[in-house]
Amino acid sequence: MAGDVVKQMEIHGRGLKKPANRGLIADRCKGYRATLRSLRSEYEAAVAQHEKELLICTGAPSHTDAELDLEYGMLEGEGDDQKERLISAEDKLHRSASNIKRSLEVLAETEAVGRDISAELSRSRETIESASARVKAADEITSQARRVIRSMSQREVQQRLVMVCLVVMLLVGGGLAAWSSSWR
């Protein structure tokens, strides 16, 4: 479950456009994976220790010395070292159970942190995608403005050519009129 959250974070991090953000997320994910591996190995060691202790002792709850004597058929003074081993094994079992409980708490906390980071990454992705959409819209508007300006520039050149042609025609026409009136 926690591994899935870290995997989702890695996938999300790879989808980011800025290399700095991708690197930051990748580094964080490596740290989370290492913590998760450590917690899993700690958990597995505690479970293995617990299973060993269960094999050594019967798993009976804490008993008084008299109850232990009755349960194992010991007379007073007999089997003190066996009682102590049993009590020691029971203490180890309780410590292992406490370690497992702490490991599970840390694991749950790590999962919560992973979920929070995943949610934060989702919000960041939405913000980046929104900004990207706005940049694309602005780029389209700029491209459209360039096309309009280019079109206006071409019309201006065409109008100047028409004006020059008209002026040349008027000058030629005026020159011809003057020349023909001077020959008559």
Side-chain angles (χ1 to χ4, degrees), residues 103-171:
S103 295
L104 290 173
E105 289 170 355
V106 170
L107 182 63
E109 188 177 313
T110 303
E111 285 178 351
V113 168
R115 273 188 245 106
D116 291 344
I117 289 173
S118 180
E120 185 178 327
L121 288 173
S122 292
R123 286 191 298 273
S124 296
R125 174 179 242 157
E126 288 171 5
T127 302
I128 290 170
E129 287 173 351
S130 172
S132 177
R134 282 182 271 165
V135 167
K136 285 179 183 177
D139 190 37
E140 286 178 24
I141 291 170
T142 304
S143 296
Q144 189 177 14
R146 267 192 221 116
R147 285 191 299 268
V148 168
I149 290 172
R150 194 176 305 126
S151 172
M152 290 171 64
S153 175
Q154 288 173 350
R155 283 186 197 149
E156 180 186 2
V157 169
Q158 288 172 350
Q159 288 174 353
R160 283 188 182 179
L161 281 173
V162 168
M163 291 288 281
V164 167
C165 287
L166 286 175
V167 168
V168 168
M169 287 173 66
L170 285 174
L171 288 175

Side-chain angles (χ1 to χ4, degrees), residues 16 18 40 51 55 92 98 108 121-122 124 159 161 166:
L16 295 176
K18 290 186 179 177
R40 278 194 182 133
E51 289 173 354
L55 290 173
K92 287 179 183 178
S98 295
L121 288 173
S122 292
S124 296
Q159 288 174 353
L161 281 173
L166 286 175

Side-chain angles (χ1 to χ4, degrees), residues 88-107:
S88 173
E90 190 175 321
D91 289 343
K92 287 179 183 178
L93 178 66
H94 288 297
R95 283 194 304 271
S96 295
S98 295
N99 285 341
I100 290 171
K101 185 178 179 181
R102 279 195 307 273
S103 295
L104 290 173
E105 289 170 355
V106 170
L107 182 63

